[in-house]
Amino acid sequence: MYKINELPTPCFVIDEGKLEENLKILHQVEERTGAKILLAQKCFSCFSEYPLIGKYISGTTASGLYEARLGKEEMGLENHVYSPAYRPQDMEELAQICDHIIFNSEKQLRTYLPVLKASGTAKAGLRINPECSTQEGHAIYDPCAPGSRMGIRACDFTDELADLVDGLHFHTLCEQNSDDLETTLRAVEEKFGKWLFKMNWLNMGGGHHITREDYDIERLISCINHMKETYGLQIYLEPGEAVALNAGYNVTEVLDIVENNGKILILDTSAACHMPDVLEMPYRPPLKGSGLPGEKPYTYRLSCNTCLAGDVIGEYSFDSQIRIGDRLYFEDMAIYSMVKTNTFNGIPLPSIAVMDKAGNCRMIKEFGYEDFKNRLS
Ligand SMILES: *Cc1c(COP(=O)(O)O)cnc(C)c1O
């Protein structure tokens, strides 16, 4: 047992109390609408929490065979999969362990439908592209952008295709509120409405920021009910972020402080290795007790112990001077963090701990030199 300030660093800490708060909100959406909510494992795959998650929501969704296996083994509830293209050698096992298999193209569907039929239970779905962009900020997360490979456009959809599948799937949102879902649904209805009447289910993907403070849950509920009642559909949602939003930390220690047009902290965690979305998205992760540059008396640039010059997290200010050996706590670090770590530059992987509601932490995973070596040859 550790307190959070005693954990060896770097360390991800999963906040179980916060996770459960999120799950209660999602559970209420299920209860009030009959929609089923699945964890998108791409965002958060901490399977030691799957028994807890499975108490509140209906199952898991996967991006391929490995995530599908993990969901089946560790949660064992409804298990779905979508991939832009499946590999032939994975299909038989997917058909055994998944309830829904969602295809991205007519060719993929027709190629693998016989495997699904032979397996017995897995239902086929198709991903559609409603060609309705509702986000400006993050072009790399916009599957409706021109030239997108994600989903079939209405101009390529046919009655014959509709007869081959059990349901449709779209995923177009990213960290968005239910007003953007409403806009998207108008496009989906306008372009695919006549085929929706033939379907058993509609999967509305992820990107619904349901557990964020300002999220309009009532509007989400009316969207779900509208689709359910108009077309007689079972509705699915597959959020990743909303499940584990604000439910984790990355605890790091200051290794050195150098000077170049201001003070620079060198931390024992890395944006490139441990928080790659900071560079990829990019964004400035929240840091406990800090302010914007200049907001508090002491401003520092936070950087990392890799050899990548651009491995810089951002500028933050503090109430007091930072010293070598101090600990910093990055917040909202459960999502798209542990699933994305790498050992670039031979940087150690952060260990993983779980904090219970009383604030006691237990270490659930530690990594070492072997984890670095085993991925190479
Ligand atoms: C990434 C993804 C999700 C989860 O998205 P969040 O933004 O984490 O909620 C759900 N479905 C599909 C198909 C995805 O690619």
Side-chain angles (χ1 to χ4, degrees):
M1 248 1 156
Y2 298 86
K3 287 293 174 189
I4 194 167
N5 59 351
E6 300 162 353
L7 288 163
T9 61
C11 185
F12 287 114
V13 182
I14 300 162
D15 184 340
E16 229 164 34
K18 183 62 194 163
L19 182 63
E20 199 164 5
E21 270 177 40
N22 290 343
L23 290 165
K24 284 181 175 157
I25 293 169
L26 298 175
H27 183 70
Q28 272 195 4
V29 173
E30 285 202 342
E31 291 274 288
R32 289 183 58 193
T33 60
K36 292 187 182 181
I37 300 184
L38 310 171
L39 165 70
Q41 296 175 92
K42 168 182 112 211
C43 171
F44 182 74
S45 298
C46 285
F47 53 86
S48 65
E49 298 298 330
Y50 283 14
L52 175 73
I53 296 170
K55 281 205 256 175
Y56 290 99
I57 62 174
S58 295
T60 39
T61 188
S63 319
L65 181 58
Y66 291 173
E67 286 182 359
R69 275 183 64 175
L70 190 68
K72 178 79 179 171
E73 284 173 14
E74 301 294 335
M75 201 176 305
L77 300 176
E78 242 185 273
N79 201 25
H80 295 196
V81 65
Y82 158 78
S83 170
Y86 295 100
R87 305 190 309 162
Q89 63 268 40
D90 294 347
M91 220 49 225
E92 216 155 294
E93 189 175 352
L94 283 173
Q96 312 241 321
I97 63 176
C98 293
D99 300 286
H100 290 186
I101 299 184
I102 292 153
F103 295 95
N104 191 58
S105 74
E106 174 165 2
K107 200 171 284 156
Q108 282 263 309
L109 171 71
R110 290 189 187 276
T111 304
Y112 294 122
L113 212 45
V115 184
L116 267 64
K117 292 259 156 67
S119 85
T121 54
K123 303 284 190 217
L126 275 171
R127 178 164 175 171
I128 55 171
N129 176 358
E131 297 177 88
C132 172
S133 293
T134 50
Q135 48 176 321
E136 297 113 48
H138 306 119
I140 86 163
Y141 301 121
D142 183 6
C144 295
S148 169
R149 70 183 181 290
M150 303 297 190
I152 303 176
R153 292 172 301 165
C155 61
D156 297 320
F157 210 90
T158 59
D159 291 338
E160 201 195 347
L161 208 47
D163 289 335
L164 293 175
V165 293
D166 209 52
L168 297 180
H169 172 280
F170 68 85
H171 169 71
T172 66
L173 304 179
C174 175
E175 301 188 340
Q176 280 163 279
N177 212 317
S178 43
D179 52 344
D180 288 330
L181 173 63
E182 204 171 68
T183 305
T184 302
L185 284 173
R186 274 200 290 273
V188 168
E189 289 193 80
E190 185 193 312
K191 296 181 168 133
F192 295 90
K194 65 171 173 167
W195 295 304
L196 283 174
F197 287 107
K198 297 183 172 184
M199 300 295 155
N200 291 321
W201 46 265
L202 174 68
N203 184 326
M204 311 205 295
H208 315 276
H209 239 189
I210 303 169
T211 50
R212 196 175 72 200
E213 222 153 77
D214 67 342
Y215 188 87
D216 183 352
I217 291 185
E218 296 308 318
R219 195 190 292 256
L220 169 68
I221 286 174
S222 64
C223 283
I224 295 171
N225 287 338
H226 168 71
M227 296 308 284
K228 181 173 116 177
E229 283 152 21
T230 310
Y231 303 96
L233 294 163
Q234 169 67 53
I235 302 296
Y236 287 91
L237 301 173
E238 44 181 33
E241 290 207 8
V243 174
L245 196 64
N246 294 315
Y249 314 95
N250 179 5
V251 187
T252 177
E253 194 174 296
V254 178
L255 296 177
D256 199 8
I257 303 176
V258 297
E259 177 93 40
N260 183 349
N261 282 316
K263 290 204 154 93
I264 304 168
L265 307 183
I266 302 181
L267 307 176
D268 65 0
T269 193
S270 153
C273 300
H274 307 153
M275 309 180 275
D277 275 359
V278 167
L279 303 179
E280 241 177 63
M281 203 168 182
Y283 82 107
R284 182 179 180 275
L287 180 72
K288 188 169 171 239
S290 76
L292 292 169
E295 187 181 333
K296 292 171 182 267
Y298 301 95
T299 295
Y300 298 85
R301 178 173 305 141
L302 272 55
S303 74
C304 314
N305 61 339
T306 63
C307 298
L308 172 68
D311 200 351
V312 173
I313 300 164
E315 295 207 357
Y316 295 78
S317 65
F318 300 88
D319 291 322
S320 52
Q321 266 191 54
I322 301 293
R323 295 192 169 77
I324 291 171
D326 282 355
R327 280 158 175 263
L328 301 178
Y329 300 87
F330 288 101
E331 297 173 317
D332 198 16
M333 277 295 153
I335 55 173
Y336 293 106
S337 54
M338 290 165 271
V339 290
K340 285 193 148 191
T341 54
N342 62 73
T343 56
F344 166 63
N345 228 203
I347 298 294
L349 292 167
S351 39
I352 301 174
V354 172
M355 183 168 76
D356 67 17
K357 287 179 206 163
N360 295 315
C361 299
R362 62 180 196 282
M363 192 63 87
I364 56 171
K365 191 91 170 187
E366 285 176 280
F367 302 96
Y369 168 66
E370 294 305 324
D371 296 290
F372 164 64
K373 187 176 179 189
N374 281 337
R375 300 179 60 228
L376 301 165
S377 68

